[in-house]
Amino acid sequence: MKQKMKSKVLVVGATGYLGKRLVKASLKLGHPTFVLFRRELCPLDIEKVQLLLSFKEEGACLVKGSFEDHKSLVDAVKMVDIVICAISGVHIRSHQILLQLKLVEAIKEAGNVKRFLPSEFGTDPARMENAMEPGRVTFEDKMVVRKAIQEAGIPYTYVSANCFAGYFLGGLCQPGKILPWNDSVVLLGDGDRKAIYVDEDDIATYTIRSIDDPRTLNKTMYITPPKNVLSQGEVVQVWEKLIGKELIKSSVSRGEFLDAIKRLDYAEQVGLTHYYHVCYEGCLTDFEIGENGVEATQLYPDVNYTSVEQYLRRYL
Ligand code: NDP
């Protein structure tokens, strides 16, 4: 029997924390995988160059292109069925929106793309219209990109990946920490707001599974592994069980947290206001998925996702 050809995938931002996992997942799931090799990439960035070469060895096709060269983007996009953008959010915020709008223009002109997944992979921006300054800029920017995609009539899937496990679980949900400590922990408030933690490789797997699935067409796909919906206090308990020891606990009240934010620089303030919405307000878990949304673990029950306990075992 003739096998259906797998969709061809272009990953933009492939050398990033999430991007490299998307490339690997795409290759693993058998998609012809293309990677945008940006000409403006610093020629002395040996790690990036080596990473790109390793993608090639694993079977990906490197496509030269530049955000400064519209035609090169159009040509790259014309080679594939699906475009996934995973360029950074935190460090180049205003840049991200401009770059993504350039990509939207290229996809519109190319006219062949069956699905575009913009660089989202976090809290659903459509639910954050009351977010605090200055962090709201992230959500506003992502909504500008969504508007451009929809006005251009480009088929899309928005992936709401909740909390990247490495950033949140690694530090037991303490901002600014990415390693768990064995003696003490600072709880945000009572540490009782539920959040959702997702292994970054699982995010990549669910994302690639969604790209040619009619059920995710023009929808937001939330990744909400049911076992990983835990409060900070529950995450700490999992860790305590693993190390066989109770941690000394202190806590930061809402007011103290908001006061402390004011003394930080702009980029840190942006990041910490996101933490505030997640950890003090429980913004990831205070809603039901509506008709414009689908949930990844329900769509793909065969994916054996990593639990919080399994993820934390890495740090033992
Ligand atoms: P990274 O910071 O790792 O960067 C990803 C890529 O961005 C880079 O490899 C690079 O692509 C591209 N990039 C950086 N600067 C430029 C530039 N000036 N011009 C063009 N491209 C540039 O990104 P992450 O993997 O951390 O983030 C990906 C997405 O995930 C973002 O949307 C972010 O908001 C989200 N995120 C969500 C988190 C969560 O907890 N939910 C946590 C962290 C991120 P290349 O060099 O390959 O061309």
Side-chain angles (χ1 to χ4, degrees), residues 124-296:
D124 179 4
R127 300 200 61 266
M128 299 305 290
E129 50 195 14
N130 297 320
M132 268 169 51
E133 295 285 3
R136 58 180 294 126
V137 67
T138 309
F139 309 117
E140 286 170 352
D141 283 1
K142 290 188 175 184
M143 290 306 286
V144 170
V145 175
R146 283 190 180 191
K147 187 163 177 272
I149 293 168
Q150 288 169 221
E151 281 178 1
I154 297 167
Y156 61 85
T157 300
Y158 304 137
V159 178
S160 175
N162 292 307
C163 301
F164 283 18
Y167 284 109
F168 283 79
L169 291 180
L172 301 177
C173 312
Q174 299 167 98
K177 292 201 165 66
I178 52 168
L179 283 172
W181 291 9
N182 284 355
D183 48 3
S184 62
V185 63
V186 179
L187 297 178
L188 303 183
D190 296 329
D192 59 354
R193 293 300 162 121
K194 302 260 187 199
I196 304 158
Y197 313 96
V198 194
D199 178 307
E200 295 81 350
D201 288 316
D202 293 340
I203 295 173
T205 301
Y206 286 119
T207 299
I208 301 298
R209 288 291 292 272
S210 76
I211 56 178
D212 44 16
D213 185 338
R215 297 172 298 175
T216 58
L217 178 62
N218 297 340
K219 302 264 186 214
T220 298
M221 181 176 77
Y222 299 86
I223 309 181
T224 307
K227 283 188 283 189
N228 292 2
V229 183
L230 299 179
S231 67
Q232 185 191 12
E234 290 167 328
V235 168
V236 171
Q237 279 173 15
V238 174
W239 179 242
E240 288 176 330
K241 204 169 153 206
L242 286 172
I243 61 171
K245 183 181 160 193
E246 210 172 305
L247 303 185
I248 298 165
K249 294 169 192 87
S250 55
S251 114
V252 182
S253 70
R254 262 173 202 255
E256 287 167 336
F257 188 86
L258 291 173
D259 262 3
I261 290 182
K262 287 186 202 139
R263 295 191 285 275
L264 302 173
D265 69 32
Y266 177 80
E268 288 172 316
Q269 286 189 27
V270 169
L272 286 186
T273 49
H274 295 173
Y275 252 91
Y276 177 80
H277 292 300
V278 172
C279 299
Y280 285 93
E281 295 189 327
C283 71
L284 299 179
T285 53
D286 64 356
F287 67 100
E288 298 285 329
I289 295 175
E291 60 182 22
N292 292 326
V294 287
E295 198 283 308

